[in-house]
Amino acid sequence: MDGKRPRLALTCGEPAGIGPDICLLAAQALAAQRAPVDVVLLADRELLAARARQLRVALPDIGLHVEHVPLAAPAQAGRLDTRNARWVLQLLDRALAGCRSGEFDAMVTAPVQKSIINDAGIAFTGHTEYLAAACGVSRPVMLLAAGALKVALATTHLPLTQVSRAITGQLLDEVLDILQQDFARRWNLAQPRIGVCGLNPHAG
């Protein structure tokens, strides 16, 4: 980072869901810890102000910048509105553009509601697939990390009945190759130990 503070884009997610709440509380926690990052919260300012009043919290002014992206329609917690579906994706597009240009070092995404995006006539299965398509990536790999444990998924966002048919030798080879390369490049793990969990709990 050349001594600069990392700059993160944080998308607000579904405006009628828990996303704005998570963003506000996360920003408060970062400010309290004086975390060495700058966060750009991509959201509607009026939405954040209304939700902050509901939660009885204040918008922190340390390390947080709000980039105002106006909602298509007023949002009320718990009431989904298809008119705001494209707004949710607009936030992802803005964060992605910033990451690609070097304006942001990474993006963090609050939860979205897939069903309301689909109800708006937009094909959407999840963040992973949406960002992969936007970047022209044919094999995205979702990785969950907690301390020394890192878990990668061979499949994402599939009905359980389709999982066994989706897992093939070629798929596993591709996922394992990506993991091997990225562990070395991004995590500085030249010789990682990678275990493959069996789909059948009695796989032996």
Side-chain angles (χ1 to χ4, degrees), residues 21-136:
D21 308 49
I22 291 173
C23 291
L24 288 168
L25 297 175
Q28 273 205 328
L30 288 170
Q33 298 167 10
R34 297 191 175 273
V37 297
D38 290 323
V39 177
V40 178
L41 176 51
L42 306 176
D44 182 295
R45 283 198 188 96
E46 293 179 11
L47 169 67
L48 292 177
R51 199 62 65 86
R53 288 192 296 271
Q54 284 184 309
L55 296 173
R56 297 180 182 176
V57 300
L59 273 172
D61 57 4
I62 300 175
L64 175 72
H65 311 280
V66 176
E67 181 174 312
H68 179 58
V69 183
L71 280 166
Q76 182 179 345
R79 297 195 177 213
L80 297 170
D81 190 329
T82 56
R83 292 176 294 175
N84 285 321
R86 291 195 183 278
W87 178 84
V88 171
L89 301 183
Q90 182 184 354
L91 301 183
L92 294 179
D93 293 339
R94 169 67 184 100
L96 179 58
C99 286
R100 294 177 115 175
S101 71
E103 178 186 1
F104 303 132
D105 295 293
M107 77 166 74
V108 180
T109 60
V112 301
Q113 179 65 34
K114 299 171 194 173
S115 64
I116 199 68
I117 298 174
N118 294 152
D119 289 346
I122 305 166
F124 182 87
T125 55
H127 286 98
T128 306
E129 295 81 4
Y130 184 82
L131 295 173
C135 294

Side-chain angles (χ1 to χ4, degrees), residues 98-183:
C99 286
R100 294 177 115 175
S101 71
E103 178 186 1
F104 303 132
D105 295 293
M107 77 166 74
V108 180
T109 60
V112 301
Q113 179 65 34
K114 299 171 194 173
S115 64
I116 199 68
I117 298 174
N118 294 152
D119 289 346
I122 305 166
F124 182 87
T125 55
H127 286 98
T128 306
E129 295 81 4
Y130 184 82
L131 295 173
C135 294
V137 174
S138 60
R139 178 66 68 202
V141 176
M142 184 186 297
L143 180 74
L144 314 175
L149 179 65
K150 297 165 185 62
V151 179
L153 308 183
T155 63
T156 59
H157 305 130
L158 283 179
L160 191 56
T161 56
Q162 296 179 20
V163 171
S164 60
R165 289 195 305 273
I167 297 177
T168 64
Q170 179 180 344
L171 167 67
L172 292 178
D173 283 345
E174 291 176 3
V175 170
L176 290 169
D177 283 346
I178 291 168
L179 285 177
Q180 177 72 39
Q181 293 171 26
D182 278 10
F183 279 149

